[in-house]
Amino acid sequence: MDLNSFIDHTLLKANTTSGDIKKLCEEAINHDFYAVCVNSCNTAIAKQYLKDSSVKLAVTIGFPLGAVSKTSKIEETRQAILDGADELDMVINIGFLKDAKQAEVEEEIALIKKAAGSKLLKVIIETCYLSEEEIRIACKLALKAGADFVKTSTGFGSRGASTEDIRIMKEVVGDKMKIKASGGIRDAKTALEYIDLGVDRIGTSSGIKIVTDNP
């Protein structure tokens, strides 16, 4: 299987420099990855480095906690699109979800999707902090709000993706939404396991190792 086309080559560390972004984009182009994923402050520079390539630019919104205001997330989305984002990876307000503020969570996703327009919206639900029922609720809210993907993790929580997370998410969204697994995916065997479960995209900082190891 060609794993390259599943990979969002990711760099979201706080100490990321412009040189790091340049290297990330060059690697993505050289290995024909689907996209790079960066923090929103690096959108414009990443777009410049990806110029004339087929690699998409995914940008995080409300990252990594999801706890900023709805207005901030919407404005961050708009600016990211102005700066050249092709896709948005937003973090839900996890505290609101756990407080059963389902209407607020759904509204925020819907407003960000509206701001995103034709751009793909991935909704990060941070499964490590959620019960099975909360994972199901989060997926249903993302689906109702019109998002394109539901995504497991930021990679900054207490753990990354798990096969059980994917099983639960797939049961809820079926073929109505796509799924992105991220967090802790560092080898081809693990990536293939997630893809076999129905994952459409893999978020990882280990993309080169994954495609190099893939037989």
Side-chain angles (χ1 to χ4, degrees), residues 3 12 15 20 44 49 73 77-78 88 94 104-105 111 115 132 140 159 164 172 176 179-180 192 196 199 209 211:
L3 286 175
L12 299 167
N15 61 349
D20 295 330
Y49 291 133
K73 290 181 183 177
T77 300
R78 289 172 177 159
L88 295 313
I94 301 157
E104 288 92 331
V105 174
L111 288 171
E132 178 174 337
K140 289 175 183 176
R159 65 167 176 83
E164 181 64 11
V172 176
K176 297 174 185 175
I179 298 174
K180 177 175 173 179
L192 288 166
D196 286 344
V199 163
K209 181 179 184 295
V211 298

Side-chain angles (χ1 to χ4, degrees), residues 1-4 7 31 33 184-192 204-215:
M1 178 183 288
D2 179 13
L3 286 175
N4 307 57
I7 290 176
H31 291 276
F33 291 140
I185 303 170
R186 300 186 180 93
D187 56 68
K189 180 182 177 182
T190 305
L192 288 166
T204 180
S205 58
S206 302
I208 295 173
K209 181 179 184 295
I210 288 172
V211 298
T212 303
D213 289 349
N214 189 35

Side-chain angles (χ1 to χ4, degrees), residues 125-183:
I125 63 174
E126 200 70 291
T127 52
C128 64
Y129 298 131
L130 306 181
S131 66
E132 178 174 337
E133 181 58 24
E134 287 168 337
I135 292 172
R136 293 182 184 278
I137 290 169
C139 290
K140 289 175 183 176
L141 295 175
L143 182 61
K144 286 174 64 180
D148 303 285
F149 275 76
V150 65
K151 175 179 170 181
T152 58
S153 321
T154 62
F156 287 75
S158 57
R159 65 167 176 83
S162 75
T163 54
E164 181 64 11
D165 293 338
I166 301 304
R167 182 190 66 77
I168 296 166
M169 294 162 76
K170 191 66 175 176
E171 283 180 4
V172 176
V173 306
D175 296 325
K176 297 174 185 175
M177 289 180 78
K178 294 183 177 181
I179 298 174
K180 177 175 173 179
S182 62

